[in-house]
Amino acid sequence: SETELIYTRPTGIYSNIQALNFDDTNKIIMGPEVAEIDKHKKKEEATIRLNVYNNYSTPVTNAKVVGKIPFEGNTYQINGKELSSKFTTIMTNTGIILPNELVGKAEVYYSTHETVNENINDSSNEWTKTPSDWSQVKTYLIDLSRITMNPGDSYTIDYNILFPEKLTYGTASYATHAIYFEENTASGKVERSTETNKVGFSITTTKDYTLQLTKLQKDTTKTISGVRYKITGPGIREEGINYTTDEQGKITIHNLC
């Protein structure tokens, strides 16, 4: 027998967030999943994609998208919970890339503040359309208030990020966004908001970096067993763990970084 599965998006404004262009396989990762970035052959740049759909049976107006790029210590826009991001990326100077149907209609703002609200006129946000230093941008606002999102309307919006030069194995960083809007009901407009899952980038490696060390007595070829060493340094998987030379005076550490 055959079973037909029908997927129906939830009623309301539905949005998801994706990671793409982060490797050479053309994978697309949808939040809350995590894209794995090979530390030793990572691309310098990746794309984050926002998909927004109106699944109401009525139009939606005065919509604003407020998002946070992956940076250390960032939080969800609405509930304020930490995303557990451990490194900071940079939004490229291409900024928010709008689809053709939004060009000339939507307005995009940027802020260096980590915590912002959806009020464009709130001076504490320091929203600007022209950032003087893209490396300091942490948040953005896409103003769709001039647009009516009719039932079934959808938009795809991208932005690109740069990874820092030095990355630590096992760390991750996440992006998220929220949407504020007005639902048009029979009794009038109702202010609502919704928040998407986060999408992340996790630093991994597919290589086995092995360290082998032999302890010798000074000025001899005689090996010494029982000598303890501690391996430290940036990018070490198990930094600070003690290792002891074996009967042949050797230590072998696999998957060093």
Side-chain angles (χ1 to χ4, degrees), residues 79-130:
N79 68 32
K81 293 182 179 179
E82 290 194 5
L83 296 177
S84 300
S85 295
K86 300 301 182 184
F87 62 85
T88 296
T89 65
I90 295 174
M91 179 183 282
T92 67
N93 60 11
T94 53
I96 298 295
I97 304 169
L98 297 172
N100 290 335
E101 60 267 33
L102 293 183
V103 174
K105 299 176 181 178
E107 301 286 347
V108 181
Y109 300 84
Y110 306 91
S111 177
T112 59
H113 291 281
E114 300 179 3
T115 302
V116 292
N117 59 53
E118 76 279 15
N119 187 347
I120 298 171
N121 298 316
D122 185 343
S123 60
S124 67
N125 295 314
E126 295 190 288
W127 292 119
T128 179
K129 294 181 180 180
T130 55

Side-chain angles (χ1 to χ4, degrees), residues 43 67 95 98 101 130-131 142 184 189 229 242 253-254:
K43 296 179 68 175
L98 297 172
E101 60 267 33
T130 55
I142 306 168
N184 290 265
K189 295 183 177 181
Y229 288 89
N242 291 316
I253 306 171
H254 295 284

Side-chain angles (χ1 to χ4, degrees), residues 26-27 29 54 58 99 102 104 120 123 128-129 132 139 165 196 212 226 230 249:
N26 296 319
K27 288 182 182 177
I29 302 297
N54 179 12
T58 57
L102 293 183
I120 298 171
S123 60
T128 179
K129 294 181 180 180
S132 58
T139 48
E165 184 176 345
T196 187
Q212 188 173 76
K230 180 182 291 186

Side-chain angles (χ1 to χ4, degrees), residues 69-73 85-90 135 137-138 162-164 167 173:
I69 75 168
F71 64 85
E72 185 174 1
S85 295
K86 300 301 182 184
F87 62 85
T88 296
T89 65
I90 295 174
S135 70
V137 169
K138 298 291 190 299
L162 295 172
F163 293 106
L167 290 169
S173 197

Side-chain angles (χ1 to χ4, degrees), residues 79-219:
N79 68 32
K81 293 182 179 179
E82 290 194 5
L83 296 177
S84 300
S85 295
K86 300 301 182 184
F87 62 85
T88 296
T89 65
I90 295 174
M91 179 183 282
T92 67
N93 60 11
T94 53
I96 298 295
I97 304 169
L98 297 172
N100 290 335
E101 60 267 33
L102 293 183
V103 174
K105 299 176 181 178
E107 301 286 347
V108 181
Y109 300 84
Y110 306 91
S111 177
T112 59
H113 291 281
E114 300 179 3
T115 302
V116 292
N117 59 53
E118 76 279 15
N119 187 347
I120 298 171
N121 298 316
D122 185 343
S123 60
S124 67
N125 295 314
E126 295 190 288
W127 292 119
T128 179
K129 294 181 180 180
T130 55
S132 58
D133 184 354
W134 286 95
S135 70
Q136 298 303 310
V137 169
K138 298 291 190 299
T139 48
Y140 60 87
L141 184 153
I142 306 168
D143 181 13
L144 303 175
S145 61
R146 294 166 56 192
I147 298 166
T148 296
M149 288 189 68
N150 292 307
D153 281 354
S154 64
Y155 303 118
T156 296
I157 301 168
D158 291 346
Y159 65 91
N160 296 318
I161 56 169
L162 295 172
F163 293 106
E165 184 176 345
K166 294 183 179 180
L167 290 169
T168 302
Y169 170 83
T171 58
S173 197
Y174 302 89
T176 187
H177 66 272
I179 305 175
Y180 302 85
F181 60 96
E182 293 176 348
E183 177 192 1
N184 290 265
T185 69
S187 56
K189 295 183 177 181
V190 180
E191 291 186 356
R192 300 194 184 281
S193 62
T194 184
E195 190 157 44
T196 187
N197 277 316
K198 64 183 180 180
V199 72
F201 299 89
S202 177
I203 309 306
T204 64
T205 181
T206 57
K207 294 184 178 181
D208 177 4
Y209 286 84
T210 300
L211 172 67
Q212 188 173 76
L213 180 150
T214 302
K215 176 62 176 177
L216 303 175
Q217 283 189 359
K218 187 177 181 180
D219 299 326

